[in-house]
Amino acid sequence: MDSHVWSVIVVVFTTLASASNMEAMHGPSTNSVDMPENLKIAPGHLQPLGSHSPPVGSVAILDHVPDPLTFFRDYVQPGKPVLFRGAAKNMKAFQRWNDDYLRNKYGELEVEVEEGKKENRSLSLFHMTLARFLEIYNTSDVYMVESMQDPMKEEFMLLKCLLCGGFTDVLLDAVIWFSSGGTKSVLHFDALDNINCLMDGEKELIMMDRKEESHIDIDNVDGNFCEVDVDKVDMTKYPGLQDVPWYSAKMMPSDCIFIPYK
């Protein structure tokens, strides 16, 4: 495949320098005066999201896709995320889709494109043909977010965990996210259960349990997201985030992940 990234949200995190490292850089302190509590820097302040603490664990991983009853009982009903390794390998989309194939077969389709690979929901959306997007996306700060159009659906398939039990009666949409990599989402919750399948590239997620919602200031209520800068978290404005444990998930090509609502 070409070096594009399908359906990617990437949040890169680092850790703060330890106290011992700070001493090594600046020399040992000659004063024994403690800093007042209100002047202490909170862990993760002005650092990428997730820097306040290491992950408490990783999202559950299965090397198979469960049957619909197991999927509903063990993951959907309790709202538990789970990653299915290699679940998209048999999809024609995974096997065929690259830039040349998409340009030749679907290039005339009109698609919706967002400005900015670092998500900013106040920026503009615009339309172009898929062929035009493929010409510019590797050298432009753009990100395609488009409901899968009917011709393309023939090369996509639902995972077997959705094929009975009523799941197909409540499906709302299939959406393609497409960029050249380096995308970052806002800190948000999903209003619907969803399954995200990665066709190419890598995807890293920071996931927080819904029971921690009291610590997360969803200050854009209409959009279901927090306006914190995920590259530079202001812990003075969002102090609750320093208390939130989080889980990691890393996706590779052909992996699919179930993300429960909220």
Side-chain angles (χ1 to χ4, degrees):
M1 285 190 176
D2 298 329
S3 59
H4 54 242
V5 180
W6 287 86
S7 190
V8 174
I9 303 171
V10 179
V11 179
V12 180
F13 58 93
T14 60
T15 55
L16 291 174
S18 67
S20 58
N21 287 338
M22 293 297 286
E23 279 194 356
M25 288 187 285
H26 301 292
S29 173
T30 58
N31 299 315
S32 59
V33 178
D34 291 332
M35 183 180 291
E37 286 294 328
N38 62 342
L39 295 180
K40 287 185 177 179
I41 299 174
H45 181 57
L46 300 184
Q47 297 290 315
L49 185 67
S51 297
H52 64 286
S53 67
V56 294
S58 61
V59 169
I61 299 173
L62 297 179
D63 60 5
H64 65 282
V65 178
D67 62 82
L69 179 60
T70 301
F71 176 57
F72 178 78
R73 182 191 62 217
D74 293 351
Y75 302 103
V76 178
Q77 197 167 39
K80 180 181 178 181
V82 58
L83 191 152
F84 307 128
R85 286 281 184 227
K89 281 185 177 179
N90 292 326
M91 293 185 188
K92 293 179 181 178
F94 178 75
Q95 297 168 352
R96 299 176 178 177
W97 287 4
N98 57 41
D99 287 11
D100 289 339
Y101 182 89
L102 292 170
R103 184 183 297 108
N104 293 332
K105 188 161 186 177
Y106 304 116
E108 295 182 358
L109 296 178
E110 186 173 275
V111 297
E112 189 169 80
V113 176
E114 294 184 1
E115 180 183 353
K117 292 190 291 183
K118 180 179 178 181
E119 187 178 18
N120 183 337
R121 298 186 181 183
S122 67
L123 296 179
S124 302
L125 300 174
F126 43 97
H127 294 83
M128 62 182 67
T129 64
L130 179 56
R132 175 58 180 160
F133 174 78
L134 291 168
E135 288 178 8
I136 68 170
Y137 82 100
N138 275 315
T139 56
S140 303
D141 189 23
V142 293
Y143 190 17
M144 189 184 95
V145 181
E146 173 69 19
S147 290
M148 189 179 296
Q149 299 185 37
D150 287 342
M152 302 181 81
K153 290 180 181 178
E154 296 178 3
E155 298 185 300
F156 180 78
M157 69 180 188
L158 295 177
L159 301 184
K160 71 174 186 178
C161 60
L162 301 177
L163 294 181
C164 65
F167 286 112
T168 55
D169 296 333
V170 293
L171 294 178
L172 292 182
D173 203 359
V175 180
I176 298 174
W177 298 339
F178 188 179
S179 82
S180 60
T183 57
K184 299 177 184 180
S185 78
V186 295
L187 177 59
H188 66 282
F189 68 81
D190 290 327
L192 300 167
D193 290 332
N194 62 92
I195 291 179
N196 186 307
C197 293
L198 188 62
M199 299 294 133
D200 197 11
E202 296 181 3
K203 179 186 184 86
E204 295 182 8
L205 301 97
I206 290 178
M207 306 193 75
M208 300 169 181
D209 197 302
R210 63 178 65 164
K211 69 183 180 182
E212 304 293 339
E213 63 179 335
S214 63
H215 294 116
I216 304 170
D217 183 9
I218 301 296
D219 47 2
N220 192 308
V221 179
D222 292 337
N224 299 332
F225 69 93
C226 175
E227 295 190 354
V228 65
D229 184 341
V230 296
D231 285 326
K232 190 183 290 186
V233 175
D234 186 343
M235 288 295 184
T236 60
K237 185 176 181 180
Y238 300 98
L241 291 178
Q242 64 187 292
D243 300 318
V244 180
W246 60 279
Y247 296 81
S248 64
K250 183 169 184 178
M251 300 177 68
M252 303 300 290
S254 80
D255 289 348
C256 298
I257 188 170
F258 167 65
I259 304 174
Y261 84 97
K262 203 169 181 179

